[in-house]
Amino acid sequence: MNNLKTKPLGLLWDSVSNNIGYQAIGFVMKEVLKSRDIVFETANPFSVNPKNYSFMMIGGGELIRGLGDPFYDQFRVPGAHILNSVGVHQPTDLEYLEQYRYISVRSQEDKKAVSQFIDPDRIHVV
């Protein structure tokens, strides 16, 4: 596991959408980390630089999508990160998730869609 003493944990979610559910996941992630005294920073979804963080917690929104959308492609961060309760919208090319330390989605249908690319035993429904 990367060292949180040298770099903060990076939080990345669809923080620019007006969807109240997307905003809520960011609020909850921040409150949980604060309650555990974990140092974190909110990453800019328009220019993500994972090298600034020990690892990233990515969640909030229908973030699992096919390649080609400049905004949503920012959420395809390779490395040993956490995918936190995301929704799925026409997934393709999800092999980057093989590196993730934890993967959770919103529903059994989302799990089924992601399981085409990732071992279903690694995917949690929350």
Side-chain angles (χ1 to χ4, degrees):
M1 183 179 282
N2 294 325
N3 190 343
L4 283 171
K5 293 183 182 193
T6 58
K7 292 182 181 181
L9 183 151
L11 291 182
L12 178 62
W13 76 96
D14 183 355
S15 57
V16 297
S17 172
N18 287 329
N19 182 305
I20 193 77
Y22 297 179
Q23 296 304 315
I25 192 72
F27 175 79
V28 170
M29 289 190 305
K30 291 192 294 187
E31 292 302 309
V32 167
L33 295 172
K34 284 179 192 175
S35 74
R36 290 176 169 78
D37 294 322
I38 297 172
V39 177
F40 67 91
E41 288 180 6
T42 300
N44 180 343
F46 293 106
S47 66
V48 178
N49 186 352
K51 293 180 182 178
N52 292 340
Y53 310 107
S54 57
F55 67 96
M56 300 190 78
M57 184 180 300
I58 302 162
E62 287 189 340
L63 301 182
I64 296 186
R65 296 173 177 249
L67 283 170
D69 182 299
F71 179 69
Y72 287 104
D73 285 353
Q74 292 290 314
F75 295 93
R76 295 173 154 271
V77 183
H81 305 296
I82 294 172
L83 190 66
N84 184 26
S85 62
V86 299
V88 175
H89 178 74
Q90 300 176 343
T92 63
D93 305 304
L94 300 183
E95 289 77 14
Y96 71 97
L97 292 175
E98 286 288 347
Q99 301 171 13
Y100 277 44
R101 60 180 78 191
Y102 182 83
I103 299 168
S104 66
V105 296
R106 297 178 183 171
S107 69
Q108 289 295 332
E109 284 298 312
D110 289 343
K111 179 176 180 173
K112 182 178 176 183
V114 175
S115 294
Q116 298 172 50
F117 304 91
I118 305 299
D119 177 2
D121 292 337
R122 295 195 54 226
I123 303 167
H124 306 271
V125 177
V126 295

